[in-house]
PDB file of all heavy atoms in Angstrom:
ATOM      1  N   ASP A  49     117.449-202.199  22.197  1.00  0.00           N
ATOM      2  CA  ASP A  49     118.741-201.868  21.592  1.00  0.00           C
ATOM      3  C   ASP A  49     118.766-200.429  21.091  1.00  0.00           C
ATOM      4  O   ASP A  49     119.715-199.676  21.315  1.00  0.00           O
ATOM      5  CB  ASP A  49     119.019-202.807  20.391  1.00  0.00           C
ATOM      6  CG  ASP A  49     119.442-204.195  20.877  1.00  0.00           C
ATOM      7  OD1 ASP A  49     119.686-204.306  22.118  1.00  0.00           O
ATOM      8  OD2 ASP A  49     119.502-205.128  20.055  1.00  0.00           O
ATOM      9  N   LEU A  85     118.650-150.050  35.928  1.00  0.00           N
ATOM     10  CA  LEU A  85     119.475-149.187  36.782  1.00  0.00           C
ATOM     11  C   LEU A  85     119.886-147.918  36.042  1.00  0.00           C
ATOM     12  O   LEU A  85     119.964-146.842  36.637  1.00  0.00           O
ATOM     13  CB  LEU A  85     120.720-149.946  37.258  1.00  0.00           C
ATOM     14  CG  LEU A  85     120.459-151.020  38.320  1.00  0.00           C
ATOM     15  CD1 LEU A  85     121.729-151.815  38.595  1.00  0.00           C
ATOM     16  CD2 LEU A  85     119.929-150.390  39.597  1.00  0.00           C
ATOM     17  N   ASP A  91     116.091-139.123  42.901  1.00  0.00           N
ATOM     18  CA  ASP A  91     116.743-137.966  43.509  1.00  0.00           C
ATOM     19  C   ASP A  91     116.353-137.907  44.984  1.00  0.00           C
ATOM     20  O   ASP A  91     115.243-137.520  45.328  1.00  0.00           O
ATOM     21  CB  ASP A  91     116.303-136.691  42.780  1.00  0.00           C
ATOM     22  CG  ASP A  91     117.045-135.468  43.318  1.00  0.00           C
ATOM     23  OD1 ASP A  91     117.680-135.584  44.386  1.00  0.00           O
ATOM     24  OD2 ASP A  91     116.966-134.406  42.672  1.00  0.00           O
ATOM     25  N   GLN A 161      74.257-160.906  86.504  1.00  0.00           N
ATOM     26  CA  GLN A 161      74.683-160.931  87.908  1.00  0.00           C
ATOM     27  C   GLN A 161      74.401-159.632  88.651  1.00  0.00           C
ATOM     28  O   GLN A 161      75.235-159.145  89.428  1.00  0.00           O
ATOM     29  CB  GLN A 161      76.176-161.267  87.997  1.00  0.00           C
ATOM     30  CG  GLN A 161      76.436-162.693  87.544  1.00  0.00           C
ATOM     31  CD  GLN A 161      77.906-163.060  87.625  1.00  0.00           C
ATOM     32  OE1 GLN A 161      78.740-162.500  86.909  1.00  0.00           O
ATOM     33  NE2 GLN A 161      78.222-163.987  88.510  1.00  0.00           N
ATOM     34  N   LEU A 216      99.049-142.462  91.535  1.00  0.00           N
ATOM     35  CA  LEU A 216      99.058-143.089  92.870  1.00  0.00           C
ATOM     36  C   LEU A 216     100.498-143.234  93.345  1.00  0.00           C
ATOM     37  O   LEU A 216     101.371-143.690  92.596  1.00  0.00           O
ATOM     38  CB  LEU A 216      98.411-144.478  92.800  1.00  0.00           C
ATOM     39  CG  LEU A 216      98.464-145.312  94.084  1.00  0.00           C
ATOM     40  CD1 LEU A 216      97.461-144.788  95.112  1.00  0.00           C
ATOM     41  CD2 LEU A 216      98.186-146.787  93.791  1.00  0.00           C
ATOM     42  N   ILE A 218     102.368-144.907  96.793  1.00  0.00           N
ATOM     43  CA  ILE A 218     102.267-145.598  98.074  1.00  0.00           C
ATOM     44  C   ILE A 218     103.689-145.815  98.588  1.00  0.00           C
ATOM     45  O   ILE A 218     104.529-146.387  97.878  1.00  0.00           O
ATOM     46  CB  ILE A 218     101.569-146.984  97.932  1.00  0.00           C
ATOM     47  CG1 ILE A 218     100.157-146.839  97.370  1.00  0.00           C
ATOM     48  CG2 ILE A 218     101.555-147.712  99.268  1.00  0.00           C
ATOM     49  CD1 ILE A 218      99.127-146.307  98.319  1.00  0.00           C
ATOM     50  N   PRO A 250      88.918-128.094 100.447  1.00  0.00           N
ATOM     51  CA  PRO A 250      88.420-129.342 101.031  1.00  0.00           C
ATOM     52  C   PRO A 250      87.261-129.897 100.209  1.00  0.00           C
ATOM     53  O   PRO A 250      86.433-129.131  99.718  1.00  0.00           O
ATOM     54  CB  PRO A 250      87.933-128.930 102.423  1.00  0.00           C
ATOM     55  CG  PRO A 250      88.497-127.581 102.680  1.00  0.00           C
ATOM     56  CD  PRO A 250      88.815-126.947 101.363  1.00  0.00           C
ATOM     57  N   ILE A 262      91.256-129.250  93.391  1.00  0.00           N
ATOM     58  CA  ILE A 262      92.444-128.434  93.174  1.00  0.00           C
ATOM     59  C   ILE A 262      92.219-127.485  92.003  1.00  0.00           C
ATOM     60  O   ILE A 262      91.868-127.917  90.902  1.00  0.00           O
ATOM     61  CB  ILE A 262      93.670-129.339  92.934  1.00  0.00           C
ATOM     62  CG1 ILE A 262      93.855-130.269  94.141  1.00  0.00           C
ATOM     63  CG2 ILE A 262      94.922-128.504  92.694  1.00  0.00           C
ATOM     64  CD1 ILE A 262      94.705-131.479  93.861  1.00  0.00           C
ATOM     65  N   CYS A 298      93.370-153.702  99.754  1.00  0.00           N
ATOM     66  CA  CYS A 298      94.320-154.250  98.779  1.00  0.00           C
ATOM     67  C   CYS A 298      95.361-155.144  99.460  1.00  0.00           C
ATOM     68  O   CYS A 298      96.349-155.538  98.834  1.00  0.00           O
ATOM     69  CB  CYS A 298      95.015-153.114  98.033  1.00  0.00           C
ATOM     70  SG  CYS A 298      93.867-152.149  97.039  1.00  0.00           S
TER      71      CYS A 298
END
Side-chain angles (χ1 to χ4, degrees):
D49 284 350
L85 287 173
D91 184 347
Q161 293 180 295
L216 174 75
I218 301 285
I262 302 161
C298 296

